[in-house]
Short mmCIF file of all heavy atoms in Angstrom, two decimals:
data_model
loop_
_atom_site.label_atom_id
_atom_site.label_comp_id
_atom_site.label_asym_id
_atom_site.label_seq_id
_atom_site.Cartn_x
_atom_site.Cartn_y
_atom_site.Cartn_z
N ALA A 1 86.91 87.06 111.28
CA ALA A 1 86.33 88.04 112.19
C ALA A 1 87.33 88.29 113.31
O ALA A 1 88.27 87.53 113.50
CB ALA A 1 85.01 87.55 112.76
N ARG A 2 87.12 89.37 114.04
CA ARG A 2 88.00 89.68 115.16
C ARG A 2 87.20 90.19 116.34
O ARG A 2 86.14 90.80 116.17
CB ARG A 2 89.07 90.69 114.74
CG ARG A 2 88.55 92.06 114.37
CD ARG A 2 89.64 92.89 113.69
NE ARG A 2 90.71 93.25 114.61
CZ ARG A 2 91.91 93.71 114.22
NH1 ARG A 2 92.19 93.84 112.93
NH2 ARG A 2 92.82 94.05 115.10
N ASP A 3 87.74 89.93 117.52
CA ASP A 3 87.18 90.45 118.77
C ASP A 3 88.27 91.29 119.40
O ASP A 3 89.20 90.75 120.03
CB ASP A 3 86.76 89.28 119.67
CG ASP A 3 86.11 89.75 120.96
OD1 ASP A 3 86.28 90.93 121.32
OD2 ASP A 3 85.45 88.93 121.61
N ASN A 4 88.19 92.58 119.23
CA ASN A 4 89.26 93.46 119.70
C ASN A 4 89.35 93.49 121.23
O ASN A 4 90.42 93.76 121.78
CB ASN A 4 89.08 94.86 119.15
CG ASN A 4 89.43 94.94 117.67
OD1 ASN A 4 90.13 94.07 117.14
ND2 ASN A 4 88.93 95.95 117.00
N ALA A 5 88.27 93.20 121.90
CA ALA A 5 88.31 93.16 123.37
C ALA A 5 89.14 91.99 123.88
O ALA A 5 89.64 92.02 125.00
CB ALA A 5 86.90 93.09 123.93
N ARG A 6 89.25 90.96 123.06
CA ARG A 6 90.00 89.76 123.43
C ARG A 6 91.30 89.60 122.64
O ARG A 6 91.95 88.57 122.74
CB ARG A 6 89.13 88.52 123.23
CG ARG A 6 87.97 88.41 124.20
CD ARG A 6 87.15 87.14 123.95
NE ARG A 6 86.22 86.86 125.02
CZ ARG A 6 85.04 87.43 125.16
NH1 ARG A 6 84.64 88.33 124.26
NH2 ARG A 6 84.25 87.11 126.16
N ASN A 7 91.65 90.61 121.84
CA ASN A 7 92.86 90.53 121.02
C ASN A 7 92.89 89.23 120.21
O ASN A 7 93.94 88.58 120.08
CB ASN A 7 94.13 90.60 121.88
CG ASN A 7 94.42 92.00 122.37
OD1 ASN A 7 93.58 92.90 122.28
ND2 ASN A 7 95.61 92.21 122.91
N THR A 8 91.77 88.88 119.65
CA THR A 8 91.65 87.58 118.99
C THR A 8 91.05 87.73 117.60
O THR A 8 90.13 88.53 117.39
CB THR A 8 90.78 86.63 119.83
OG1 THR A 8 91.35 86.50 121.13
CG2 THR A 8 90.70 85.26 119.19
N VAL A 9 91.58 86.95 116.70
CA VAL A 9 91.05 86.86 115.34
C VAL A 9 90.61 85.42 115.12
O VAL A 9 91.26 84.48 115.58
CB VAL A 9 92.11 87.25 114.30
CG1 VAL A 9 91.55 87.12 112.89
CG2 VAL A 9 92.60 88.65 114.55
N TYR A 10 89.51 85.26 114.40
CA TYR A 10 88.96 83.94 114.14
C TYR A 10 88.89 83.68 112.64
O TYR A 10 88.73 84.59 111.83
CB TYR A 10 87.55 83.84 114.70
CG TYR A 10 87.45 84.13 116.18
CD1 TYR A 10 87.06 85.38 116.64
CD2 TYR A 10 87.77 83.15 117.12
CE1 TYR A 10 86.96 85.66 117.99
CE2 TYR A 10 87.69 83.42 118.48
CZ TYR A 10 87.28 84.67 118.91
OH TYR A 10 87.20 84.94 120.25
N LEU A 11 89.00 82.41 112.29
CA LEU A 11 88.73 81.98 110.93
C LEU A 11 87.77 80.81 111.02
O LEU A 11 88.16 79.71 111.42
CB LEU A 11 90.02 81.56 110.21
CG LEU A 11 89.84 81.16 108.74
CD1 LEU A 11 89.43 82.39 107.91
CD2 LEU A 11 91.11 80.54 108.18
N ALA A 12 86.52 81.06 110.69
CA ALA A 12 85.50 80.03 110.70
C ALA A 12 85.47 79.38 109.32
O ALA A 12 85.27 80.07 108.31
CB ALA A 12 84.14 80.62 111.04
N MET A 13 85.68 78.09 109.30
CA MET A 13 85.76 77.36 108.03
C MET A 13 84.64 76.34 107.98
O MET A 13 84.49 75.53 108.89
CB MET A 13 87.12 76.65 107.93
CG MET A 13 88.31 77.57 108.17
SD MET A 13 89.90 76.74 107.98
CE MET A 13 89.84 75.61 109.38
N LYS A 14 83.86 76.40 106.92
CA LYS A 14 82.79 75.41 106.74
C LYS A 14 82.94 74.76 105.38
O LYS A 14 83.68 75.23 104.52
CB LYS A 14 81.43 76.07 106.91
CG LYS A 14 81.09 77.10 105.85
CD LYS A 14 79.70 77.67 106.10
CE LYS A 14 79.32 78.67 105.02
NZ LYS A 14 77.95 79.23 105.23
N THR A 15 82.18 73.68 105.21
CA THR A 15 82.23 72.92 103.97
C THR A 15 83.68 72.66 103.56
O THR A 15 84.11 72.93 102.43
CB THR A 15 81.49 73.66 102.83
OG1 THR A 15 80.30 74.26 103.33
CG2 THR A 15 81.11 72.67 101.72
N LEU A 16 84.45 72.15 104.51
CA LEU A 16 85.87 71.91 104.27
C LEU A 16 86.06 70.88 103.16
O LEU A 16 85.27 69.94 102.99
CB LEU A 16 86.55 71.44 105.54
CG LEU A 16 86.81 72.54 106.57
CD1 LEU A 16 87.13 71.94 107.93
CD2 LEU A 16 87.95 73.44 106.12
N LYS A 17 87.16 71.08 102.42
CA LYS A 17 87.53 70.20 101.33
C LYS A 17 88.93 69.64 101.58
O LYS A 17 89.73 70.28 102.28
CB LYS A 17 87.53 70.98 100.01
CG LYS A 17 86.23 71.66 99.68
CD LYS A 17 86.37 72.50 98.42
CE LYS A 17 85.06 73.21 98.07
NZ LYS A 17 85.20 74.03 96.84
N PRO A 18 89.25 68.50 101.01
CA PRO A 18 90.62 67.98 101.18
C PRO A 18 91.69 68.98 100.75
O PRO A 18 92.76 69.03 101.36
CB PRO A 18 90.62 66.73 100.29
CG PRO A 18 89.20 66.26 100.32
CD PRO A 18 88.38 67.53 100.33
N GLU A 19 91.40 69.78 99.77
CA GLU A 19 92.39 70.77 99.32
C GLU A 19 92.58 71.93 100.30
O GLU A 19 93.45 72.77 100.10
CB GLU A 19 92.02 71.31 97.93
CG GLU A 19 90.61 71.81 97.80
CD GLU A 19 89.68 70.76 97.21
OE1 GLU A 19 89.76 69.58 97.61
OE2 GLU A 19 88.86 71.13 96.34
N ASP A 20 91.80 71.96 101.36
CA ASP A 20 92.02 72.94 102.43
C ASP A 20 93.08 72.48 103.40
O ASP A 20 93.47 73.22 104.31
CB ASP A 20 90.72 73.20 103.19
CG ASP A 20 89.66 73.88 102.34
OD1 ASP A 20 90.01 74.77 101.55
OD2 ASP A 20 88.48 73.51 102.48
N THR A 21 93.54 71.25 103.25
CA THR A 21 94.57 70.72 104.14
C THR A 21 95.84 71.55 104.02
O THR A 21 96.38 71.74 102.93
CB THR A 21 94.87 69.25 103.79
OG1 THR A 21 93.70 68.46 104.04
CG2 THR A 21 96.03 68.72 104.60
N ALA A 22 96.32 72.04 105.16
CA ALA A 22 97.50 72.91 105.19
C ALA A 22 97.80 73.29 106.63
O ALA A 22 96.98 73.05 107.53
CB ALA A 22 97.26 74.16 104.35
N VAL A 23 98.94 73.90 106.81
CA VAL A 23 99.21 74.60 108.06
C VAL A 23 98.69 76.02 107.89
O VAL A 23 99.02 76.70 106.91
CB VAL A 23 100.71 74.62 108.38
CG1 VAL A 23 100.96 75.42 109.66
CG2 VAL A 23 101.25 73.21 108.53
N TYR A 24 97.88 76.45 108.81
CA TYR A 24 97.27 77.77 108.75
C TYR A 24 98.01 78.72 109.69
O TYR A 24 98.23 78.39 110.87
CB TYR A 24 95.80 77.70 109.13
CG TYR A 24 94.95 77.14 108.01
CD1 TYR A 24 95.02 75.81 107.66
CD2 TYR A 24 94.10 77.97 107.28
CE1 TYR A 24 94.26 75.30 106.61
CE2 TYR A 24 93.33 77.48 106.24
CZ TYR A 24 93.43 76.13 105.91
OH TYR A 24 92.68 75.64 104.86
N TYR A 25 98.37 79.87 109.16
CA TYR A 25 99.14 80.86 109.89
C TYR A 25 98.34 82.16 110.03
O TYR A 25 97.72 82.63 109.08
CB TYR A 25 100.44 81.18 109.16
CG TYR A 25 101.40 80.03 109.04
CD1 TYR A 25 101.37 79.20 107.92
CD2 TYR A 25 102.33 79.77 110.03
CE1 TYR A 25 102.26 78.14 107.79
CE2 TYR A 25 103.23 78.71 109.91
CZ TYR A 25 103.17 77.91 108.79
OH TYR A 25 104.05 76.86 108.67
N CYS A 26 98.46 82.73 111.20
CA CYS A 26 97.95 84.06 111.46
C CYS A 26 99.11 85.04 111.26
O CYS A 26 100.24 84.75 111.67
CB CYS A 26 97.42 84.11 112.88
SG CYS A 26 96.79 85.68 113.45
N ALA A 27 98.83 86.17 110.65
CA ALA A 27 99.87 87.16 110.40
C ALA A 27 99.32 88.54 110.74
O ALA A 27 98.12 88.80 110.61
CB ALA A 27 100.30 87.12 108.93
N ALA A 28 100.21 89.42 111.14
CA ALA A 28 99.80 90.77 111.53
C ALA A 28 100.81 91.80 111.07
O ALA A 28 102.00 91.50 110.91
CB ALA A 28 99.63 90.85 113.05
N ARG A 29 100.31 92.99 110.87
CA ARG A 29 101.20 94.12 110.57
C ARG A 29 100.65 95.35 111.27
O ARG A 29 99.44 95.45 111.52
CB ARG A 29 101.28 94.38 109.07
CG ARG A 29 99.97 94.81 108.44
CD ARG A 29 100.16 95.27 107.01
NE ARG A 29 98.92 95.76 106.45
CZ ARG A 29 98.46 97.00 106.62
NH1 ARG A 29 99.13 97.88 107.34
NH2 ARG A 29 97.31 97.37 106.06
N ILE A 30 101.54 96.25 111.58
CA ILE A 30 101.14 97.51 112.19
C ILE A 30 100.53 98.39 111.11
O ILE A 30 101.15 98.63 110.07
CB ILE A 30 102.33 98.22 112.84
CG1 ILE A 30 103.02 97.30 113.86
CG2 ILE A 30 101.86 99.51 113.52
CD1 ILE A 30 102.15 96.82 114.98
N GLY A 31 99.34 98.87 111.38
CA GLY A 31 98.62 99.66 110.38
C GLY A 31 97.22 99.12 110.31
O GLY A 31 97.03 97.91 110.15
N PRO A 32 96.23 99.95 110.49
CA PRO A 32 94.87 99.45 110.73
C PRO A 32 94.09 99.01 109.51
O PRO A 32 93.09 98.29 109.65
CB PRO A 32 94.19 100.65 111.40
CG PRO A 32 94.89 101.84 110.82
CD PRO A 32 96.31 101.42 110.61
N GLU A 33 94.48 99.44 108.33
CA GLU A 33 93.60 99.23 107.18
C GLU A 33 94.11 98.12 106.26
O GLU A 33 95.27 97.76 106.25
CB GLU A 33 93.47 100.53 106.39
CG GLU A 33 92.86 101.68 107.16
CD GLU A 33 91.45 101.39 107.67
OE1 GLU A 33 90.77 100.51 107.11
OE2 GLU A 33 91.02 102.06 108.62
N LEU A 34 93.16 97.61 105.46
CA LEU A 34 93.52 96.72 104.37
C LEU A 34 94.16 97.54 103.27
O LEU A 34 93.68 98.62 102.94
CB LEU A 34 92.28 96.03 103.82
CG LEU A 34 91.65 94.89 104.62
CD1 LEU A 34 90.44 94.35 103.88
CD2 LEU A 34 92.66 93.81 104.89
N LEU A 35 95.23 97.02 102.72
CA LEU A 35 95.89 97.65 101.58
C LEU A 35 95.98 96.60 100.50
O LEU A 35 96.83 95.72 100.53
CB LEU A 35 97.28 98.14 101.98
CG LEU A 35 97.36 99.15 103.14
CD1 LEU A 35 98.81 99.41 103.52
CD2 LEU A 35 96.66 100.45 102.77
N LEU A 36 95.07 96.71 99.54
CA LEU A 36 95.04 95.71 98.48
C LEU A 36 95.81 96.21 97.26
O LEU A 36 95.70 97.38 96.91
CB LEU A 36 93.59 95.40 98.12
CG LEU A 36 92.78 94.75 99.25
CD1 LEU A 36 91.32 94.66 98.88
CD2 LEU A 36 93.35 93.39 99.59
N PRO A 37 96.57 95.34 96.62
CA PRO A 37 96.70 93.89 96.86
C PRO A 37 97.74 93.50 97.91
O PRO A 37 97.91 92.32 98.20
CB PRO A 37 97.13 93.37 95.50
CG PRO A 37 97.98 94.47 94.95
CD PRO A 37 97.32 95.75 95.41
N ASP A 38 98.44 94.48 98.49
CA ASP A 38 99.55 94.14 99.39
C ASP A 38 99.11 93.26 100.55
O ASP A 38 99.89 92.43 101.03
CB ASP A 38 100.20 95.41 99.92
CG ASP A 38 101.00 96.12 98.85
OD1 ASP A 38 101.20 95.53 97.77
OD2 ASP A 38 101.41 97.27 99.08
N SER A 39 97.88 93.43 101.03
CA SER A 39 97.42 92.65 102.18
C SER A 39 97.28 91.17 101.88
O SER A 39 97.06 90.39 102.79
CB SER A 39 96.09 93.21 102.69
OG SER A 39 96.28 94.46 103.30
N THR A 40 97.42 90.78 100.64
CA THR A 40 97.35 89.37 100.27
C THR A 40 98.74 88.74 100.14
O THR A 40 98.84 87.57 99.80
CB THR A 40 96.60 89.18 98.94
OG1 THR A 40 97.39 89.75 97.88
CG2 THR A 40 95.24 89.86 98.97
N LYS A 41 99.78 89.50 100.41
CA LYS A 41 101.14 89.04 100.17
C LYS A 41 101.90 88.84 101.48
O LYS A 41 101.93 89.75 102.32
CB LYS A 41 101.87 90.05 99.30
CG LYS A 41 101.19 90.27 97.95
CD LYS A 41 101.86 91.37 97.15
CE LYS A 41 101.13 91.59 95.83
NZ LYS A 41 101.76 92.69 95.04
N PRO A 42 102.53 87.69 101.68
CA PRO A 42 103.23 87.43 102.95
C PRO A 42 104.26 88.49 103.36
O PRO A 42 104.32 88.83 104.55
CB PRO A 42 103.90 86.07 102.69
CG PRO A 42 103.00 85.40 101.71
CD PRO A 42 102.50 86.50 100.82
N PRO A 43 105.05 89.05 102.45
CA PRO A 43 106.04 90.04 102.90
C PRO A 43 105.43 91.30 103.52
O PRO A 43 106.14 92.06 104.18
CB PRO A 43 106.80 90.39 101.61
CG PRO A 43 106.64 89.21 100.75
CD PRO A 43 105.24 88.73 101.01
N THR A 44 104.15 91.51 103.33
CA THR A 44 103.50 92.67 103.93
C THR A 44 103.44 92.58 105.44
O THR A 44 103.35 93.58 106.13
CB THR A 44 102.07 92.82 103.36
OG1 THR A 44 102.16 93.04 101.95
CG2 THR A 44 101.29 93.95 104.00
N TYR A 45 103.50 91.37 105.96
CA TYR A 45 103.28 91.13 107.38
C TYR A 45 104.60 90.92 108.12
O TYR A 45 105.48 90.19 107.67
CB TYR A 45 102.35 89.92 107.57
CG TYR A 45 101.00 90.22 106.97
CD1 TYR A 45 100.74 89.93 105.63
CD2 TYR A 45 100.00 90.84 107.72
CE1 TYR A 45 99.52 90.25 105.06
CE2 TYR A 45 98.78 91.15 107.16
CZ TYR A 45 98.55 90.86 105.82
OH TYR A 45 97.35 91.18 105.26
N ASP A 46 104.69 91.55 109.27
CA ASP A 46 105.91 91.51 110.07
C ASP A 46 105.87 90.45 111.15
O ASP A 46 106.92 90.07 111.68
CB ASP A 46 106.12 92.87 110.74
CG ASP A 46 106.31 93.98 109.72
OD1 ASP A 46 107.11 93.79 108.79
OD2 ASP A 46 105.64 95.02 109.84
N TYR A 47 104.68 90.00 111.51
CA TYR A 47 104.54 89.09 112.64
C TYR A 47 103.72 87.87 112.22
O TYR A 47 102.69 88.01 111.55
CB TYR A 47 103.86 89.81 113.81
CG TYR A 47 104.54 91.10 114.17
CD1 TYR A 47 104.02 92.33 113.77
CD2 TYR A 47 105.73 91.08 114.89
CE1 TYR A 47 104.67 93.50 114.08
CE2 TYR A 47 106.39 92.26 115.21
CZ TYR A 47 105.84 93.47 114.79
OH TYR A 47 106.50 94.63 115.10
#
C-alpha cells in the first residue's frame, strides 16, 4: 500500500515463513502505472 501524502510505501507481511528471510528492497520508476510483466523485473526500476 502507499500513502501519497507521506511519500511512503508499505509492505505488510503476515504469516511469515523462514523462506521469507531476505533483504527487502524498495524500488521506484518514473511512470505512474503498472506495466506487466515489466513491473516484476529489476531492470525496470531506476531507483
Side-chain angles (χ1 to χ4, degrees):
R2 65 192 291 165
D3 183 342
N4 286 341
R6 291 180 168 81
N7 285 13
T8 302
V9 179
Y10 303 99
L11 183 67
M13 308 182 293
K14 65 179 182 179
T15 320
L16 284 164
K17 304 175 181 180
E19 51 263 44
D20 295 320
T21 295
V23 177
Y24 283 71
Y25 297 92
C26 178
R29 65 170 183 84
I30 305 301
E33 298 300 338
L34 285 180
L35 302 173
L36 295 172
D38 288 350
S39 290
T40 68
K41 301 175 182 179
T44 298
Y45 297 89
D46 298 312
Y47 307 102

